[in-house]
Structures are given as C-alpha cells and as structure tokens.
mmCIF file with all atom_site columns, all heavy atoms in Angstrom:
data_model
loop_
_atom_site.group_PDB
_atom_site.id
_atom_site.type_symbol
_atom_site.label_atom_id
_atom_site.label_alt_id
_atom_site.label_comp_id
_atom_site.label_asym_id
_atom_site.label_entity_id
_atom_site.label_seq_id
_atom_site.pdbx_PDB_ins_code
_atom_site.Cartn_x
_atom_site.Cartn_y
_atom_site.Cartn_z
_atom_site.occupancy
_atom_site.B_iso_or_equiv
_atom_site.pdbx_formal_charge
_atom_site.auth_seq_id
_atom_site.auth_comp_id
_atom_site.auth_asym_id
_atom_site.auth_atom_id
_atom_site.pdbx_PDB_model_num
ATOM 1   N N   . SER A 1 1  ? -48.479 12.994 130.644 1.00 0.00 ? 11 SER A N   1
ATOM 2   C CA  . SER A 1 1  ? -47.434 12.432 131.449 1.00 0.00 ? 11 SER A CA  1
ATOM 3   C C   . SER A 1 1  ? -47.840 11.080 132.046 1.00 0.00 ? 11 SER A C   1
ATOM 4   O O   . SER A 1 1  ? -49.042 10.845 132.287 1.00 0.00 ? 11 SER A O   1
ATOM 5   C CB  . SER A 1 1  ? -46.989 13.378 132.566 1.00 0.00 ? 11 SER A CB  1
ATOM 6   O OG  . SER A 1 1  ? -46.339 14.512 132.026 1.00 0.00 ? 11 SER A OG  1
ATOM 7   N N   . LEU A 1 2  ? -46.879 10.238 132.330 1.00 0.00 ? 12 LEU A N   1
ATOM 8   C CA  . LEU A 1 2  ? -47.178 8.899  132.815 1.00 0.00 ? 12 LEU A CA  1
ATOM 9   C C   . LEU A 1 2  ? -47.661 8.848  134.266 1.00 0.00 ? 12 LEU A C   1
ATOM 10  O O   . LEU A 1 2  ? -48.606 8.159  134.592 1.00 0.00 ? 12 LEU A O   1
ATOM 11  C CB  . LEU A 1 2  ? -45.882 8.028  132.721 1.00 0.00 ? 12 LEU A CB  1
ATOM 12  C CG  . LEU A 1 2  ? -45.913 6.636  133.330 1.00 0.00 ? 12 LEU A CG  1
ATOM 13  C CD1 . LEU A 1 2  ? -46.966 5.781  132.671 1.00 0.00 ? 12 LEU A CD1 1
ATOM 14  C CD2 . LEU A 1 2  ? -44.549 5.978  133.217 1.00 0.00 ? 12 LEU A CD2 1
ATOM 15  N N   . CYS A 1 3  ? -47.039 9.620  135.123 1.00 0.00 ? 13 CYS A N   1
ATOM 16  C CA  . CYS A 1 3  ? -47.364 9.511  136.585 1.00 0.00 ? 13 CYS A CA  1
ATOM 17  C C   . CYS A 1 3  ? -47.761 10.867 137.165 1.00 0.00 ? 13 CYS A C   1
ATOM 18  O O   . CYS A 1 3  ? -47.745 11.893 136.492 1.00 0.00 ? 13 CYS A O   1
ATOM 19  C CB  . CYS A 1 3  ? -46.210 8.898  137.354 1.00 0.00 ? 13 CYS A CB  1
ATOM 20  S SG  . CYS A 1 3  ? -44.904 10.059 137.765 1.00 0.00 ? 13 CYS A SG  1
ATOM 21  N N   . GLY A 1 4  ? -48.051 10.857 138.435 1.00 0.00 ? 14 GLY A N   1
ATOM 22  C CA  . GLY A 1 4  ? -48.520 12.026 139.133 1.00 0.00 ? 14 GLY A CA  1
ATOM 23  C C   . GLY A 1 4  ? -47.545 13.190 139.117 1.00 0.00 ? 14 GLY A C   1
ATOM 24  O O   . GLY A 1 4  ? -47.959 14.357 139.188 1.00 0.00 ? 14 GLY A O   1
ATOM 25  N N   . LEU A 1 5  ? -46.234 12.906 139.065 1.00 0.00 ? 15 LEU A N   1
ATOM 26  C CA  . LEU A 1 5  ? -45.283 13.990 139.104 1.00 0.00 ? 15 LEU A CA  1
ATOM 27  C C   . LEU A 1 5  ? -45.474 14.876 137.870 1.00 0.00 ? 15 LEU A C   1
ATOM 28  O O   . LEU A 1 5  ? -45.585 16.098 137.997 1.00 0.00 ? 15 LEU A O   1
ATOM 29  C CB  . LEU A 1 5  ? -43.849 13.437 139.140 1.00 0.00 ? 15 LEU A CB  1
ATOM 30  C CG  . LEU A 1 5  ? -42.722 14.441 139.397 1.00 0.00 ? 15 LEU A CG  1
ATOM 31  C CD1 . LEU A 1 5  ? -41.507 13.741 140.013 1.00 0.00 ? 15 LEU A CD1 1
ATOM 32  C CD2 . LEU A 1 5  ? -42.243 15.141 138.151 1.00 0.00 ? 15 LEU A CD2 1
ATOM 33  N N   . GLY A 1 6  ? -45.482 14.274 136.711 1.00 0.00 ? 16 GLY A N   1
ATOM 34  C CA  . GLY A 1 6  ? -45.613 15.083 135.492 1.00 0.00 ? 16 GLY A CA  1
ATOM 35  C C   . GLY A 1 6  ? -47.030 15.608 135.338 1.00 0.00 ? 16 GLY A C   1
ATOM 36  O O   . GLY A 1 6  ? -47.240 16.760 134.900 1.00 0.00 ? 16 GLY A O   1
ATOM 37  N N   . GLN A 1 7  ? -48.042 14.802 135.710 1.00 0.00 ? 17 GLN A N   1
ATOM 38  C CA  . GLN A 1 7  ? -49.427 15.255 135.552 1.00 0.00 ? 17 GLN A CA  1
ATOM 39  C C   . GLN A 1 7  ? -49.743 16.472 136.413 1.00 0.00 ? 17 GLN A C   1
ATOM 40  O O   . GLN A 1 7  ? -50.599 17.298 136.053 1.00 0.00 ? 17 GLN A O   1
ATOM 41  C CB  . GLN A 1 7  ? -50.364 14.117 135.905 1.00 0.00 ? 17 GLN A CB  1
ATOM 42  C CG  . GLN A 1 7  ? -50.300 12.957 134.945 1.00 0.00 ? 17 GLN A CG  1
ATOM 43  C CD  . GLN A 1 7  ? -50.920 11.678 135.478 1.00 0.00 ? 17 GLN A CD  1
ATOM 44  O OE1 . GLN A 1 7  ? -51.544 11.688 136.564 1.00 0.00 ? 17 GLN A OE1 1
ATOM 45  N NE2 . GLN A 1 7  ? -50.779 10.561 134.798 1.00 0.00 ? 17 GLN A NE2 1
ATOM 46  N N   . SER A 1 8  ? -49.080 16.598 137.515 1.00 0.00 ? 18 SER A N   1
ATOM 47  C CA  . SER A 1 8  ? -49.360 17.717 138.431 1.00 0.00 ? 18 SER A CA  1
ATOM 48  C C   . SER A 1 8  ? -48.308 18.826 138.381 1.00 0.00 ? 18 SER A C   1
ATOM 49  O O   . SER A 1 8  ? -48.502 19.880 138.998 1.00 0.00 ? 18 SER A O   1
ATOM 50  C CB  . SER A 1 8  ? -49.507 17.203 139.882 1.00 0.00 ? 18 SER A CB  1
ATOM 51  O OG  . SER A 1 8  ? -48.294 16.584 140.296 1.00 0.00 ? 18 SER A OG  1
ATOM 52  N N   . ALA A 1 9  ? -47.211 18.587 137.699 1.00 0.00 ? 19 ALA A N   1
ATOM 53  C CA  . ALA A 1 9  ? -46.097 19.594 137.648 1.00 0.00 ? 19 ALA A CA  1
ATOM 54  C C   . ALA A 1 9  ? -46.582 20.973 137.167 1.00 0.00 ? 19 ALA A C   1
ATOM 55  O O   . ALA A 1 9  ? -46.101 21.992 137.669 1.00 0.00 ? 19 ALA A O   1
ATOM 56  C CB  . ALA A 1 9  ? -44.963 19.074 136.751 1.00 0.00 ? 19 ALA A CB  1
ATOM 57  N N   . PRO A 1 10 ? -47.539 21.061 136.214 1.00 0.00 ? 20 PRO A N   1
ATOM 58  C CA  . PRO A 1 10 ? -47.967 22.416 135.769 1.00 0.00 ? 20 PRO A CA  1
ATOM 59  C C   . PRO A 1 10 ? -48.851 23.130 136.762 1.00 0.00 ? 20 PRO A C   1
ATOM 60  O O   . PRO A 1 10 ? -49.138 24.316 136.562 1.00 0.00 ? 20 PRO A O   1
ATOM 61  C CB  . PRO A 1 10 ? -48.717 22.105 134.466 1.00 0.00 ? 20 PRO A CB  1
ATOM 62  C CG  . PRO A 1 10 ? -48.300 20.743 134.048 1.00 0.00 ? 20 PRO A CG  1
ATOM 63  C CD  . PRO A 1 10 ? -48.045 20.021 135.315 1.00 0.00 ? 20 PRO A CD  1
ATOM 64  N N   . ASN A 1 11 ? -49.309 22.482 137.833 1.00 0.00 ? 21 ASN A N   1
ATOM 65  C CA  . ASN A 1 11 ? -50.304 23.102 138.718 1.00 0.00 ? 21 ASN A CA  1
ATOM 66  C C   . ASN A 1 11 ? -49.835 24.440 139.297 1.00 0.00 ? 21 ASN A C   1
ATOM 67  O O   . ASN A 1 11 ? -50.626 25.424 139.315 1.00 0.00 ? 21 ASN A O   1
ATOM 68  C CB  . ASN A 1 11 ? -50.637 22.141 139.879 1.00 0.00 ? 21 ASN A CB  1
ATOM 69  C CG  . ASN A 1 11 ? -51.568 21.045 139.396 1.00 0.00 ? 21 ASN A CG  1
ATOM 70  O OD1 . ASN A 1 11 ? -52.079 21.058 138.302 1.00 0.00 ? 21 ASN A OD1 1
ATOM 71  N ND2 . ASN A 1 11 ? -51.801 20.049 140.274 1.00 0.00 ? 21 ASN A ND2 1
ATOM 72  N N   . PRO A 1 12 ? -48.620 24.596 139.785 1.00 0.00 ? 22 PRO A N   1
ATOM 73  C CA  . PRO A 1 12 ? -48.200 25.929 140.279 1.00 0.00 ? 22 PRO A CA  1
ATOM 74  C C   . PRO A 1 12 ? -48.246 27.004 139.211 1.00 0.00 ? 22 PRO A C   1
ATOM 75  O O   . PRO A 1 12 ? -48.571 28.154 139.514 1.00 0.00 ? 22 PRO A O   1
ATOM 76  C CB  . PRO A 1 12 ? -46.763 25.691 140.779 1.00 0.00 ? 22 PRO A CB  1
ATOM 77  C CG  . PRO A 1 12 ? -46.707 24.230 141.121 1.00 0.00 ? 22 PRO A CG  1
ATOM 78  C CD  . PRO A 1 12 ? -47.561 23.577 140.067 1.00 0.00 ? 22 PRO A CD  1
ATOM 79  N N   . ILE A 1 13 ? -47.943 26.672 137.955 1.00 0.00 ? 23 ILE A N   1
ATOM 80  C CA  . ILE A 1 13 ? -48.017 27.650 136.869 1.00 0.00 ? 23 ILE A CA  1
ATOM 81  C C   . ILE A 1 13 ? -49.469 27.985 136.596 1.00 0.00 ? 23 ILE A C   1
ATOM 82  O O   . ILE A 1 13 ? -49.843 29.174 136.515 1.00 0.00 ? 23 ILE A O   1
ATOM 83  C CB  . ILE A 1 13 ? -47.395 27.082 135.586 1.00 0.00 ? 23 ILE A CB  1
ATOM 84  C CG1 . ILE A 1 13 ? -45.905 26.755 135.796 1.00 0.00 ? 23 ILE A CG1 1
ATOM 85  C CG2 . ILE A 1 13 ? -47.522 28.099 134.438 1.00 0.00 ? 23 ILE A CG2 1
ATOM 86  C CD1 . ILE A 1 13 ? -45.229 26.140 134.580 1.00 0.00 ? 23 ILE A CD1 1
ATOM 87  N N   . LEU A 1 14 ? -50.311 27.005 136.493 1.00 0.00 ? 24 LEU A N   1
ATOM 88  C CA  . LEU A 1 14 ? -51.729 27.233 136.179 1.00 0.00 ? 24 LEU A CA  1
ATOM 89  C C   . LEU A 1 14 ? -52.423 28.034 137.243 1.00 0.00 ? 24 LEU A C   1
ATOM 90  O O   . LEU A 1 14 ? -53.227 28.922 136.930 1.00 0.00 ? 24 LEU A O   1
ATOM 91  C CB  . LEU A 1 14 ? -52.455 25.897 135.966 1.00 0.00 ? 24 LEU A CB  1
ATOM 92  C CG  . LEU A 1 14 ? -51.977 25.070 134.732 1.00 0.00 ? 24 LEU A CG  1
ATOM 93  C CD1 . LEU A 1 14 ? -52.598 23.686 134.757 1.00 0.00 ? 24 LEU A CD1 1
ATOM 94  C CD2 . LEU A 1 14 ? -52.332 25.807 133.456 1.00 0.00 ? 24 LEU A CD2 1
ATOM 95  N N   . SER A 1 15 ? -52.111 27.752 138.510 1.00 0.00 ? 25 SER A N   1
ATOM 96  C CA  . SER A 1 15 ? -52.776 28.507 139.605 1.00 0.00 ? 25 SER A CA  1
ATOM 97  C C   . SER A 1 15 ? -52.290 29.942 139.667 1.00 0.00 ? 25 SER A C   1
ATOM 98  O O   . SER A 1 15 ? -53.055 30.885 139.922 1.00 0.00 ? 25 SER A O   1
ATOM 99  C CB  . SER A 1 15 ? -52.592 27.800 140.937 1.00 0.00 ? 25 SER A CB  1
ATOM 100 O OG  . SER A 1 15 ? -51.212 27.795 141.304 1.00 0.00 ? 25 SER A OG  1
ATOM 101 N N   . THR A 1 16 ? -51.005 30.120 139.431 1.00 0.00 ? 26 THR A N   1
ATOM 102 C CA  . THR A 1 16 ? -50.459 31.519 139.437 1.00 0.00 ? 26 THR A CA  1
ATOM 103 C C   . THR A 1 16 ? -50.967 32.307 138.224 1.00 0.00 ? 26 THR A C   1
ATOM 104 O O   . THR A 1 16 ? -51.208 33.513 138.330 1.00 0.00 ? 26 THR A O   1
ATOM 105 C CB  . THR A 1 16 ? -48.922 31.529 139.499 1.00 0.00 ? 26 THR A CB  1
ATOM 106 O OG1 . THR A 1 16 ? -48.394 30.695 138.474 1.00 0.00 ? 26 THR A OG1 1
ATOM 107 C CG2 . THR A 1 16 ? -48.415 31.045 140.827 1.00 0.00 ? 26 THR A CG2 1
ATOM 108 N N   . LEU A 1 17 ? -51.132 31.657 137.089 1.00 0.00 ? 27 LEU A N   1
ATOM 109 C CA  . LEU A 1 17 ? -51.725 32.342 135.941 1.00 0.00 ? 27 LEU A CA  1
ATOM 110 C C   . LEU A 1 17 ? -53.180 32.687 136.175 1.00 0.00 ? 27 LEU A C   1
ATOM 111 O O   . LEU A 1 17 ? -53.677 33.752 135.753 1.00 0.00 ? 27 LEU A O   1
ATOM 112 C CB  . LEU A 1 17 ? -51.626 31.431 134.706 1.00 0.00 ? 27 LEU A CB  1
ATOM 113 C CG  . LEU A 1 17 ? -50.260 31.393 133.999 1.00 0.00 ? 27 LEU A CG  1
ATOM 114 C CD1 . LEU A 1 17 ? -50.227 30.284 132.950 1.00 0.00 ? 27 LEU A CD1 1
ATOM 115 C CD2 . LEU A 1 17 ? -49.941 32.740 133.347 1.00 0.00 ? 27 LEU A CD2 1
ATOM 116 N N   . ARG A 1 18 ? -53.860 31.811 136.894 1.00 0.00 ? 28 ARG A N   1
ATOM 117 C CA  . ARG A 1 18 ? -55.289 32.048 137.191 1.00 0.00 ? 28 ARG A CA  1
ATOM 118 C C   . ARG A 1 18 ? -55.510 33.227 138.113 1.00 0.00 ? 28 ARG A C   1
ATOM 119 O O   . ARG A 1 18 ? -56.396 34.045 137.902 1.00 0.00 ? 28 ARG A O   1
ATOM 120 C CB  . ARG A 1 18 ? -55.853 30.771 137.799 1.00 0.00 ? 28 ARG A CB  1
ATOM 121 C CG  . ARG A 1 18 ? -57.320 30.857 138.237 1.00 0.00 ? 28 ARG A CG  1
ATOM 122 C CD  . ARG A 1 18 ? -57.779 29.507 138.785 1.00 0.00 ? 28 ARG A CD  1
ATOM 123 N NE  . ARG A 1 18 ? -59.154 29.561 139.316 1.00 0.00 ? 28 ARG A NE  1
ATOM 124 C CZ  . ARG A 1 18 ? -59.744 28.522 139.897 1.00 0.00 ? 28 ARG A CZ  1
ATOM 125 N NH1 . ARG A 1 18 ? -59.111 27.358 139.964 1.00 0.00 ? 28 ARG A NH1 1
ATOM 126 N NH2 . ARG A 1 18 ? -60.984 28.629 140.375 1.00 0.00 ? 28 ARG A NH2 1
ATOM 127 N N   . TYR A 1 19 ? -54.658 33.319 139.159 1.00 0.00 ? 29 TYR A N   1
ATOM 128 C CA  . TYR A 1 19 ? -54.888 34.351 140.196 1.00 0.00 ? 29 TYR A CA  1
ATOM 129 C C   . TYR A 1 19 ? -53.921 35.528 140.159 1.00 0.00 ? 29 TYR A C   1
ATOM 130 O O   . TYR A 1 19 ? -54.228 36.585 140.680 1.00 0.00 ? 29 TYR A O   1
ATOM 131 C CB  . TYR A 1 19 ? -54.786 33.706 141.572 1.00 0.00 ? 29 TYR A CB  1
ATOM 132 C CG  . TYR A 1 19 ? -55.852 32.632 141.838 1.00 0.00 ? 29 TYR A CG  1
ATOM 133 C CD1 . TYR A 1 19 ? -55.486 31.299 141.980 1.00 0.00 ? 29 TYR A CD1 1
ATOM 134 C CD2 . TYR A 1 19 ? -57.187 32.988 141.888 1.00 0.00 ? 29 TYR A CD2 1
ATOM 135 C CE1 . TYR A 1 19 ? -56.466 30.322 142.221 1.00 0.00 ? 29 TYR A CE1 1
ATOM 136 C CE2 . TYR A 1 19 ? -58.164 32.005 142.122 1.00 0.00 ? 29 TYR A CE2 1
ATOM 137 C CZ  . TYR A 1 19 ? -57.783 30.699 142.296 1.00 0.00 ? 29 TYR A CZ  1
ATOM 138 O OH  . TYR A 1 19 ? -58.758 29.727 142.534 1.00 0.00 ? 29 TYR A OH  1
ATOM 139 N N   . PHE A 1 20 ? -52.725 35.311 139.522 1.00 0.00 ? 30 PHE A N   1
ATOM 140 C CA  . PHE A 1 20 ? -51.715 36.346 139.554 1.00 0.00 ? 30 PHE A CA  1
ATOM 141 C C   . PHE A 1 20 ? -51.168 36.618 138.165 1.00 0.00 ? 30 PHE A C   1
ATOM 142 O O   . PHE A 1 20 ? -49.968 36.793 137.974 1.00 0.00 ? 30 PHE A O   1
ATOM 143 C CB  . PHE A 1 20 ? -50.582 35.946 140.510 1.00 0.00 ? 30 PHE A CB  1
ATOM 144 C CG  . PHE A 1 20 ? -51.055 35.597 141.890 1.00 0.00 ? 30 PHE A CG  1
ATOM 145 C CD1 . PHE A 1 20 ? -51.225 34.255 142.273 1.00 0.00 ? 30 PHE A CD1 1
ATOM 146 C CD2 . PHE A 1 20 ? -51.387 36.582 142.804 1.00 0.00 ? 30 PHE A CD2 1
ATOM 147 C CE1 . PHE A 1 20 ? -51.687 33.941 143.548 1.00 0.00 ? 30 PHE A CE1 1
ATOM 148 C CE2 . PHE A 1 20 ? -51.823 36.278 144.076 1.00 0.00 ? 30 PHE A CE2 1
ATOM 149 C CZ  . PHE A 1 20 ? -51.990 34.948 144.455 1.00 0.00 ? 30 PHE A CZ  1
ATOM 150 N N   . ARG A 1 21 ? -52.048 36.642 137.208 1.00 0.00 ? 31 ARG A N   1
ATOM 151 C CA  . ARG A 1 21 ? -51.653 36.852 135.814 1.00 0.00 ? 31 ARG A CA  1
ATOM 152 C C   . ARG A 1 21 ? -50.914 38.162 135.617 1.00 0.00 ? 31 ARG A C   1
ATOM 153 O O   . ARG A 1 21 ? -50.018 38.310 134.784 1.00 0.00 ? 31 ARG A O   1
ATOM 154 C CB  . ARG A 1 21 ? -52.868 36.802 134.890 1.00 0.00 ? 31 ARG A CB  1
ATOM 155 C CG  . ARG A 1 21 ? -52.512 36.514 133.440 1.00 0.00 ? 31 ARG A CG  1
ATOM 156 C CD  . ARG A 1 21 ? -53.794 36.356 132.596 1.00 0.00 ? 31 ARG A CD  1
ATOM 157 N NE  . ARG A 1 21 ? -53.461 35.821 131.279 1.00 0.00 ? 31 ARG A NE  1
ATOM 158 C CZ  . ARG A 1 21 ? -53.419 34.553 130.940 1.00 0.00 ? 31 ARG A CZ  1
ATOM 159 N NH1 . ARG A 1 21 ? -53.663 33.614 131.895 1.00 0.00 ? 31 ARG A NH1 1
ATOM 160 N NH2 . ARG A 1 21 ? -53.127 34.163 129.725 1.00 0.00 ? 31 ARG A NH2 1
ATOM 161 N N   . ASP A 1 22 ? -51.277 39.148 136.432 1.00 0.00 ? 32 ASP A N   1
ATOM 162 C CA  . ASP A 1 22 ? -50.670 40.453 136.305 1.00 0.00 ? 32 ASP A CA  1
ATOM 163 C C   . ASP A 1 22 ? -49.129 40.384 136.582 1.00 0.00 ? 32 ASP A C   1
ATOM 164 O O   . ASP A 1 22 ? -48.385 41.187 136.035 1.00 0.00 ? 32 ASP A O   1
ATOM 165 C CB  . ASP A 1 22 ? -51.279 41.451 137.312 1.00 0.00 ? 32 ASP A CB  1
ATOM 166 C CG  . ASP A 1 22 ? -52.655 41.891 136.853 1.00 0.00 ? 32 ASP A CG  1
ATOM 167 O OD1 . ASP A 1 22 ? -53.018 41.607 135.675 1.00 0.00 ? 32 ASP A OD1 1
ATOM 168 O OD2 . ASP A 1 22 ? -53.413 42.493 137.648 1.00 0.00 ? 32 ASP A OD2 1
ATOM 169 N N   . ASP A 1 23 ? -48.698 39.456 137.421 1.00 0.00 ? 33 ASP A N   1
ATOM 170 C CA  . ASP A 1 23 ? -47.260 39.300 137.671 1.00 0.00 ? 33 ASP A CA  1
ATOM 171 C C   . ASP A 1 23 ? -46.533 38.894 136.395 1.00 0.00 ? 33 ASP A C   1
ATOM 172 O O   . ASP A 1 23 ? -45.396 39.316 136.133 1.00 0.00 ? 33 ASP A O   1
ATOM 173 C CB  . ASP A 1 23 ? -47.017 38.242 138.785 1.00 0.00 ? 33 ASP A CB  1
ATOM 174 C CG  . ASP A 1 23 ? -47.317 38.802 140.164 1.00 0.00 ? 33 ASP A CG  1
ATOM 175 O OD1 . ASP A 1 23 ? -47.978 39.833 140.253 1.00 0.00 ? 33 ASP A OD1 1
ATOM 176 O OD2 . ASP A 1 23 ? -46.875 38.171 141.137 1.00 0.00 ? 33 ASP A OD2 1
ATOM 177 N N   . TYR A 1 24 ? -47.167 38.055 135.568 1.00 0.00 ? 34 TYR A N   1
ATOM 178 C CA  . TYR A 1 24 ? -46.616 37.624 134.308 1.00 0.00 ? 34 TYR A CA  1
ATOM 179 C C   . TYR A 1 24 ? -46.644 38.796 133.306 1.00 0.00 ? 34 TYR A C   1
ATOM 180 O O   . TYR A 1 24 ? -45.637 39.068 132.631 1.00 0.00 ? 34 TYR A O   1
ATOM 181 C CB  . TYR A 1 24 ? -47.391 36.442 133.757 1.00 0.00 ? 34 TYR A CB  1
ATOM 182 C CG  . TYR A 1 24 ? -47.183 35.162 134.471 1.00 0.00 ? 34 TYR A CG  1
ATOM 183 C CD1 . TYR A 1 24 ? -47.891 34.852 135.649 1.00 0.00 ? 34 TYR A CD1 1
ATOM 184 C CD2 . TYR A 1 24 ? -46.300 34.169 134.001 1.00 0.00 ? 34 TYR A CD2 1
ATOM 185 C CE1 . TYR A 1 24 ? -47.711 33.631 136.283 1.00 0.00 ? 34 TYR A CE1 1
ATOM 186 C CE2 . TYR A 1 24 ? -46.118 32.974 134.646 1.00 0.00 ? 34 TYR A CE2 1
ATOM 187 C CZ  . TYR A 1 24 ? -46.817 32.720 135.796 1.00 0.00 ? 34 TYR A CZ  1
ATOM 188 O OH  . TYR A 1 24 ? -46.633 31.527 136.461 1.00 0.00 ? 34 TYR A OH  1
ATOM 189 N N   . LEU A 1 25 ? -47.801 39.428 133.223 1.00 0.00 ? 35 LEU A N   1
ATOM 190 C CA  . LEU A 1 25 ? -47.986 40.516 132.227 1.00 0.00 ? 35 LEU A CA  1
ATOM 191 C C   . LEU A 1 25 ? -47.069 41.681 132.492 1.00 0.00 ? 35 LEU A C   1
ATOM 192 O O   . LEU A 1 25 ? -46.565 42.315 131.547 1.00 0.00 ? 35 LEU A O   1
ATOM 193 C CB  . LEU A 1 25 ? -49.422 40.951 132.221 1.00 0.00 ? 35 LEU A CB  1
ATOM 194 C CG  . LEU A 1 25 ? -50.466 39.920 131.709 1.00 0.00 ? 35 LEU A CG  1
ATOM 195 C CD1 . LEU A 1 25 ? -51.863 40.456 131.869 1.00 0.00 ? 35 LEU A CD1 1
ATOM 196 C CD2 . LEU A 1 25 ? -50.176 39.535 130.248 1.00 0.00 ? 35 LEU A CD2 1
ATOM 197 N N   . ALA A 1 26 ? -46.799 41.953 133.778 1.00 0.00 ? 36 ALA A N   1
ATOM 198 C CA  . ALA A 1 26 ? -45.887 43.058 134.113 1.00 0.00 ? 36 ALA A CA  1
ATOM 199 C C   . ALA A 1 26 ? -44.486 42.802 133.583 1.00 0.00 ? 36 ALA A C   1
ATOM 200 O O   . ALA A 1 26 ? -43.823 43.737 133.113 1.00 0.00 ? 36 ALA A O   1
ATOM 201 C CB  . ALA A 1 26 ? -45.888 43.281 135.623 1.00 0.00 ? 36 ALA A CB  1
ATOM 202 N N   . LEU A 1 27 ? -44.039 41.590 133.650 1.00 0.00 ? 37 LEU A N   1
ATOM 203 C CA  . LEU A 1 27 ? -42.687 41.247 133.163 1.00 0.00 ? 37 LEU A CA  1
ATOM 204 C C   . LEU A 1 27 ? -42.642 41.291 131.629 1.00 0.00 ? 37 LEU A C   1
ATOM 205 O O   . LEU A 1 27 ? -41.625 41.685 131.060 1.00 0.00 ? 37 LEU A O   1
ATOM 206 C CB  . LEU A 1 27 ? -42.262 39.855 133.696 1.00 0.00 ? 37 LEU A CB  1
ATOM 207 C CG  . LEU A 1 27 ? -42.039 39.796 135.193 1.00 0.00 ? 37 LEU A CG  1
ATOM 208 C CD1 . LEU A 1 27 ? -41.940 38.337 135.636 1.00 0.00 ? 37 LEU A CD1 1
ATOM 209 C CD2 . LEU A 1 27 ? -40.798 40.551 135.601 1.00 0.00 ? 37 LEU A CD2 1
#
C-alpha cells in the first residue's frame, strides 16, 4: 500500500490471529 492507512490496516486482523486464533477457528 502507498500510505500508512493501507500499510497498517491489516494490523487488527494480524494481532487477533496471533492472540485469539481460537475465535476464528471456532467459527
């Protein structure tokens, strides 16, 4: 991505996958 908005947009997904993967796997 060109700017900080796109470059950091995945952060909430990546951090929740890192620490709360079970929430994804349960669904």
Side-chain angles (χ1 to χ4, degrees):
S11 292
L12 172 62
C13 81
L15 189 155
Q17 292 164 8
S18 60
N21 285 351
I23 300 177
L24 294 171
S25 65
T26 51
L27 280 170
R28 176 179 175 182
Y29 297 114
F30 306 100
R31 200 176 191 89
D32 286 348
D33 284 16
Y34 288 82
L35 293 175
L37 292 168

